[in-house]
Amino acid sequence: MIDSSDAVFEVPVPPGLGAVTDLAPVGDRDRPAWLALDEDGTISRWDVAAGRHEAVGTTGVEAEDDREPWDGRPCRRRLHASHDGGFAAVVNDHGRFGEVIDLRTGEVTVELDGGGYNEETVPFSLAFARRHGRCVVVHRTDWNRLDVTDPQTGASLTDRSLPEPEHDLDYFHGALYVSPDGRRILDDGWVWHPAGIPVVWDFDPWVEGNVWESEDGPSRLDVCDRGYAWNHAMTWIDSVRVAVVGLRDVEGVMPSGARIFDTRRTVRSGPRRPEAVELLAFEGPTGPFFSDGTHLFSCGDTDLSIWDPAVGKLLGTVPGFSPTHYHPGARQFVQLADGVARHWTA
């Protein structure tokens, strides 16, 4: 068993941060920090362990809070950040609008509109990535289309201004996850009837030549059919394996657990597209998923659990700690509750 007895540290949320509504990790192991978004729209850089913070930007994205919650998921503002902390994006999950902000100048460089068709069913699709060492942002521009944009200039890197109906995609893009090596995208989307079908594709071919790679390029691969389920936990374990929460959907019931897939190997079943090879399924994990490249961390209502995803073995727990955010560079987990930041380092 992993020794998970190290203390969970608690520090007060500095009054100057206001009421923090979301966090996003920035920096690396040597200089880890978080961007914090408060309810008034101020974005601050916050060193949780040292207690230091400074305001670095602000957002004017409207909350779209007049929307009715969909499937119990209200529309709420979400914060994303580039790895170096130079850019932030504030979007409305289960809503339509957002913006990208250059935190060095405070200017809004990209106005985001994810389209007005069933947008309430998914988080706003957005993730920061890197191309030739420079930051880019991947984001939804319609229910069935993603684009890559230079966040500094606002220029599109995947221009598809000429319509080509043969590439039209019957897929509602959802939450996006960039692989640890930065070379692949994981998309938690869904298709009619409806069914949750996460997909992956390669990033480099998309921005280096084939602007239709995310629609029907040769690297695009269905991970699995999750039945009537999406907007649930998933994570890259490493740059090949993906973990999704829940065992196979049986008559609308998905038991807790994890399924592990190899996205570089495929299997074909019936007339459907090829799917990733399922390596393992095991009971136990629930809630948000995170990984340090080796272990699977699952966050239940009360505890953080640590698993070996190669064999499905529980390696340890951090009792009384249910984090909502993870800093991969610092391997730091954070839970905000009642004006206190609780953090634990793996």
Side-chain angles (χ1 to χ4, degrees):
M1 298 287 283
I2 285 180
D3 181 5
S4 56
S5 61
D6 291 345
V8 175
F9 294 95
E10 296 188 356
V11 296
V13 176
L17 281 179
V20 176
T21 60
D22 203 10
L23 297 171
V26 294
D28 51 26
R29 177 176 290 274
D30 295 329
R31 300 186 64 185
W34 297 84
L35 292 187
L37 174 68
D38 77 10
E39 61 184 4
D40 294 327
T42 300
I43 302 169
S44 300
R45 187 180 180 97
W46 180 24
D47 184 329
V48 173
R52 296 187 298 267
H53 67 91
E54 62 173 336
V56 292
T58 187
T59 181
V61 171
E62 297 294 332
E64 300 182 57
D65 52 11
D66 58 340
R67 292 177 175 271
E68 292 294 324
W70 180 85
D71 195 28
R73 294 174 170 84
C75 180
R76 60 177 291 270
R77 287 197 297 191
R78 171 83 178 277
L79 177 66
H80 298 263
S82 62
H83 173 77
D84 62 2
F87 295 92
V90 179
V91 298
N92 288 326
D93 277 357
H94 304 284
R96 177 171 180 173
F97 299 109
E99 63 187 16
V100 177
I101 305 157
D102 187 334
L103 297 179
R104 295 163 297 188
T105 65
E107 295 181 0
V108 174
T109 56
V110 185
E111 297 279 1
L112 300 168
D113 183 345
Y117 181 49
N118 287 328
E119 72 277 12
E120 72 280 358
T121 66
V122 286
F124 194 106
S125 308
L126 187 139
F128 284 99
R130 296 186 69 80
R131 180 196 183 209
H132 301 318
R134 295 190 60 182
C135 175
V136 296
V137 60
V138 183
H139 58 99
R140 190 171 69 236
T141 52
D142 207 344
W143 66 276
N144 63 346
R145 173 168 166 162
L146 297 173
D147 280 290
V148 184
T149 298
D150 183 329
Q152 187 169 7
T153 66
S156 174
L157 304 178
T158 50
D159 179 56
R160 286 164 285 182
S161 54
L162 295 177
E164 296 192 33
E166 67 271 23
H167 293 292
D168 284 350
L169 186 66
D170 182 19
Y171 188 82
F172 293 81
H173 293 291
L176 303 179
Y177 305 84
V178 179
S179 63
D181 64 5
R183 295 183 175 181
R184 309 182 79 198
I185 307 290
L186 169 65
D187 188 341
D188 182 18
W190 65 280
V191 301
W192 287 112
H193 56 94
I197 300 182
V199 300
V200 298
W201 67 93
D202 290 353
F203 181 71
D204 286 348
W206 189 25
V207 293
E208 300 296 341
N210 182 17
V211 294
W212 305 103
E213 191 71 28
S214 63
E215 278 86 4
D216 53 17
S219 70
R220 182 181 166 95
L221 171 69
D222 293 350
V223 176
C224 63
D225 183 339
R226 305 181 77 188
Y228 189 68
W230 64 94
N231 297 339
H232 294 283
M234 64 176 56
T235 188
W236 290 97
I237 298 295
D238 47 37
S239 293
V240 173
R241 292 177 297 164
V242 165
V244 301
V245 74
L247 303 183
R248 293 187 180 275
D249 190 348
V250 179
E251 297 182 355
V253 177
M254 181 173 286
S256 63
R259 299 170 68 189
I260 312 298
F261 295 90
D262 183 334
T263 63
R264 287 301 189 191
R265 297 165 56 198
T266 64
V267 62
R268 184 184 293 274
S269 57
R272 290 185 52 80
R273 292 168 56 101
E275 293 186 351
V277 170
E278 184 168 359
L279 300 175
L280 182 68
F282 55 96
E283 296 180 354
T286 186
F289 279 2
F290 306 102
S291 180
D292 61 0
T294 301
H295 306 100
L296 173 66
F297 298 88
S298 68
C299 307
D301 293 336
T302 59
D303 301 330
L304 174 68
S305 299
I306 308 163
W307 302 83
D308 181 343
V311 295
K313 180 180 180 181
L314 178 64
L315 301 177
T317 61
V318 184
F321 181 57
S322 185
T324 53
H325 295 80
Y326 174 62
H327 194 306
R331 298 179 64 185
Q332 182 185 74
F333 294 86
V334 172
Q335 176 186 15
L336 296 175
D338 301 322
V340 172
R342 308 182 70 223
H343 61 100
W344 178 82
T345 301

